[in-house]
Amino acid sequence: MFRHRWTRALRGIPMASASVALVGGALAAPAQADTAPKPGSNPAVDYQDPVDATPPVSRPDTEHCSVTAVDHDFGYTLGGPPYTTTLTPPKKCEGPWNKVVLDWSGSVKGRQYDRLAAVFVGGAEVFRTSTAEPDDDGISWHVAKDITDFTPLLKDPQKLQLELGNVVNETYTGVYRIKLKITYYQADRRHPAATTADRVVPLGDTGSDSAPWMSVGKGGSTRTDVTFPRNLTDARLEVYARGGGCDEQWFDAVPSDLAETAPDYLCGGGPYREVQVTVDGQPAGLAQPYPVVYSGGIVPTLWRPIPAIDQFGTEAYDIDLTPFAGLLADGKPHAIGITPYGAADSWNVDGSLFLGTDAHKARTSGGVTTNTLSHTPVVKTVQTPGGNGSTDVSVSTGRSWKISGYVETSKGRVTTTVEQKFAYTNTDNVSATGSHQVMHQRDHGSTTVTTKARGRTDAQRSTWSYPIDVDLDIPLYGDYNNYDMKAAVTQRRVIVDTSRKGSARVWRTDAVTDDTVDSTGSIARTAGVVQSADGASTENYRGTTDTGACYSRSLRTAHGWVTADRQHHCRVADVAREALKG
């Protein structure tokens, strides 16, 4: 991953990385929690295995079978085709399944950048990740993800592709050894078969030997023509979107005219981004991207041993397209588009459609009755000169929109309405000729999906908040052997999912995530020798597991080592109430 000139150089510096041991989607508990850091601990050369506070993926106690789909070394693979094989469900566990879990295990040693990677099954992206930067002695990591939603594809043999663009030469010596395992958990009386969509349709480019995801540059969009089932009842689009180059850290980009005054440190285009979806050119939905930071991002010692949120497992965004289902069921091809609005550099985007059909009617029909979503947001940007040559930049926007449509089904007319409201602000103080930035971004809102059928009204609401604060200072930058940099970063992700059934007036809490990582890091080199390096961090997670239980865990680190690891009793209602307070 590349960004500014100083970042491009720093990404190539070998810095020690301990073994990553992610278990079930969360990092393994530290072996030496509550112990003091070793004397002279230096997270640039030695630090504890990475650990995070998020809950693991649960695994049902049922008969299960595992398939090792990939066991492969990725050397110089940049620009080449992805690793390709065939994934076939095991005969002893042909289904139905209660759950399907993907396990990603990797190792690498030497010198290497953090790399973006993804797994595709039948052309659909089921997992997106990025890697940790290794040391000469090597690093290993493991990530798990629940991929049960892709059951309609997993039932039959499918082409599996693993994309990991890597460079190996005299400087960058790290070869990635990746092992991918898929485990199928059989349904039984206590663990019923999972409820999934009837069909999964990938939007990526499945007609070539390249990875199906699509690269979109500044001002660009994707377009995929899809012919939907004639008996379509509902449609959900799962979208992946992650920026590259200057848009790796799009949230600290500044207006282009200001960036031109300090091109070694600043990226242009401003900080606002949104992921837009269109149907036949009509606005159909949007998502706010989470401010992901790679393991080499900002200052690498920030993330040792607690990684940034989403660093090893990128979350996809859900767009409900059911208001358009009645139109999409006409048997004609319809263009589905994805746009990373505001992009100043390339983005890797992809999507999969999850479709429901009517088992008792050959054809459905309907229409869109309301659509107030506009193509472009109104973004306000104000630049104010400050003291000592500094500049204050303020960027703000917000939206409030509604899309409603109906489908005539075998059970009568079903009307679906999607409403979204959100507000966004970003303030950035840029000083010291661009080498010092103090940025605060706030992005929060809610999406409500209301369904009316046969005199009954149900609703689901997802509320989110993605605050991030960055204080980055680079007092010295000569080249990749001579520099001094330090940063403090606080990032948080809050998602509260609630629902209301029928005549109920109270919203019921279905799932909560409230995750905060607070980190400081620094590193200085002279003539290629580390003069100083340090880091400290905390993580506090409160929320629900994938089984609905309340889960609370806090971590504290110093000098690259965990000094405290606590799990706490909690109640879902209390966690949800505190999360919604912001």
Side-chain angles (χ1 to χ4, degrees):
M1 304 300 109
F2 300 161
R3 191 173 176 266
H4 310 323
R5 177 168 68 90
W6 55 266
T7 302
R8 291 197 296 269
L10 293 176
R11 290 289 175 83
I13 296 172
M15 296 179 63
S17 301
S19 298
V20 183
L22 286 103
V23 177
L27 290 152
Q32 300 178 8
D34 296 328
T35 60
K38 294 180 179 179
S41 292
N42 181 341
V45 297
D46 185 30
Y47 67 99
Q48 184 174 322
D49 291 359
V51 56
D52 74 20
T54 60
V57 175
S58 67
R59 302 184 187 243
D61 182 19
T62 69
E63 181 181 353
H64 56 276
C65 307
S66 296
V67 173
T68 298
V70 177
D71 190 350
H72 184 72
D73 291 349
F74 290 79
Y76 199 116
T77 55
L78 188 67
Y83 176 86
T84 303
T85 185
T86 300
L87 177 65
T88 302
K91 291 184 178 180
K92 290 184 178 180
C93 296
E94 290 185 329
W97 304 308
N98 173 261
K99 199 167 197 175
V100 183
V101 178
L102 176 151
D103 287 284
W104 163 289
S105 301
S107 62
V108 61
K109 65 179 181 178
R111 184 176 180 177
Q112 198 51 263
Y113 284 134
D114 46 9
R115 302 292 182 181
L116 188 64
V119 177
F120 306 85
V121 175
E125 186 168 355
V126 301
F127 177 62
R128 182 173 294 196
T129 186
S130 59
T131 66
E133 294 185 332
D135 63 4
D136 289 340
D137 294 332
I139 187 169
S140 61
W141 73 100
H142 167 249
V143 189
K145 183 184 177 184
D146 180 352
I147 60 169
T148 312
D149 282 352
F150 292 89
T151 292
L153 288 177
L154 299 171
K155 290 177 180 179
D156 302 307
Q158 298 284 356
K159 179 168 70 174
L160 184 146
Q161 298 164 286
L162 196 158
E163 169 68 13
L164 197 166
N166 191 30
V167 173
V168 174
N169 53 32
E170 293 181 355
T171 303
Y172 304 108
T173 59
V175 174
Y176 286 98
R177 162 154 278 188
I178 303 298
K179 187 174 182 178
L180 193 71
K181 183 176 71 174
I182 311 295
T183 303
Y184 305 79
Y185 294 88
Q186 290 285 98
D188 61 21
R189 288 184 179 181
R190 293 187 302 115
H191 306 89
T195 301
T196 67
D198 297 318
R199 288 182 57 184
V200 177
V201 179
L203 294 186
D205 181 7
T206 59
S208 70
D209 292 333
S210 300
W213 61 12
M214 299 162 281
S215 180
V216 179
K218 181 179 180 180
S221 300
T222 70
R223 175 189 168 120
T224 306
D225 290 333
V226 179
T227 300
F228 291 80
R230 294 301 302 269
N231 60 342
L232 184 68
T233 57
D234 56 89
R236 174 176 67 89
L237 175 63
E238 181 179 275
V239 179
Y240 281 103
R242 196 158 172 177
C246 257
D247 267 22
E248 277 190 26
Q249 292 159 207
W250 46 267
F251 44 87
D252 66 3
V254 299
S256 296
D257 58 343
L258 180 58
E260 290 171 0
T261 67
D264 287 346
Y265 298 104
L266 302 176
C267 284
Y272 182 68
R273 304 289 184 273
E274 65 181 31
V275 182
Q276 302 176 341
V277 174
T278 58
V279 171
D280 296 329
Q282 296 183 64
L286 58 84
Q288 306 305 112
Y290 187 78
V292 181
V293 183
Y294 289 77
S295 61
I298 305 179
V299 177
T301 54
L302 287 163
W303 318 118
R304 301 181 174 189
I306 297 176
I309 296 171
D310 256 13
Q311 198 170 94
F312 294 119
T314 300
E315 294 289 340
Y317 310 106
D318 281 343
I319 310 292
D320 197 319
L321 298 181
T322 304
F324 293 86
L327 293 178
L328 298 173
D330 62 1
K332 301 177 182 179
H334 293 273
I336 308 299
I338 304 173
T339 303
Y341 176 85
D345 211 322
S346 63
W347 282 64
N348 281 94
V349 302
D350 199 7
S352 296
L353 288 162
F354 295 81
L355 308 179
T357 56
D358 194 325
H360 304 288
K361 191 171 185 178
R363 293 188 179 184
T364 56
S365 62
V368 175
T369 56
T370 303
N371 189 345
T372 66
L373 178 58
S374 61
H375 281 280
T376 58
V378 178
V379 181
K380 181 181 180 181
T381 302
V382 178
Q383 295 187 58
T384 306
N388 300 319
S390 67
T391 301
D392 288 310
V393 181
S394 174
V395 178
S396 61
T397 189
R399 290 219 195 214
S400 178
W401 55 269
K402 178 168 71 173
I403 301 176
S404 185
Y406 67 95
V407 184
E408 301 290 355
T409 74
S410 60
K411 296 180 180 180
R413 174 172 291 195
V414 179
T415 300
T416 302
T417 301
V418 179
E419 298 177 85
Q420 187 180 88
K421 296 180 180 180
F422 71 84
Y424 169 94
T425 60
N426 182 296
T427 60
D428 196 347
N429 177 266
V430 182
S431 61
T433 320
S435 65
H436 189 193
Q437 282 186 266
V438 180
M439 186 279 301
H440 305 283
Q441 179 169 287
R442 299 293 179 267
D443 184 355
H444 58 89
S446 65
T447 303
T448 304
V449 179
T450 304
T451 303
K452 296 181 179 180
R454 306 174 74 176
R456 177 187 172 96
T457 300
D458 296 336
Q460 294 178 310
R461 175 178 294 165
S462 181
T463 301
W464 78 88
S465 179
Y466 301 154
I468 183 169
D469 300 311
V470 178
D471 185 340
L472 171 62
D473 189 16
I474 311 171
L476 170 67
Y477 179 76
D479 55 30
Y480 62 85
N481 284 318
N482 299 274
Y483 60 85
D484 183 3
M485 58 192 305
K486 56 187 177 182
V489 178
T490 300
Q491 59 175 174
R492 186 182 183 193
R493 174 160 58 198
V494 175
I495 301 175
V496 181
D497 294 332
T498 56
S499 60
R500 191 167 60 188
K501 305 293 185 181
S503 60
R505 295 185 178 182
V506 178
W507 290 90
R508 177 193 175 200
T509 301
D510 298 319
V512 184
T513 294
D514 189 350
D515 194 7
T516 301
V517 174
D518 190 349
S519 303
T520 60
S522 63
I523 184 169
R525 283 180 186 259
T526 301
V529 178
V530 174
Q531 302 299 310
S532 64
D534 206 353
S537 58
T538 62
E539 181 178 17
N540 292 286
Y541 179 94
R542 300 183 75 205
T544 51
T545 67
D546 58 7
T547 62
C550 198
Y551 186 91
S552 178
R553 185 178 179 189
S554 61
L555 302 172
R556 183 177 297 276
T557 77
H559 317 302
W561 294 81
V562 172
T563 58
D565 182 352
R566 297 281 188 271
Q567 281 195 239
H568 314 274
H569 173 75
C570 62
R571 296 176 64 250
V572 172
D574 296 337
V575 172
R577 184 168 54 252
E578 292 299 317
L580 290 170
K581 289 181 179 178

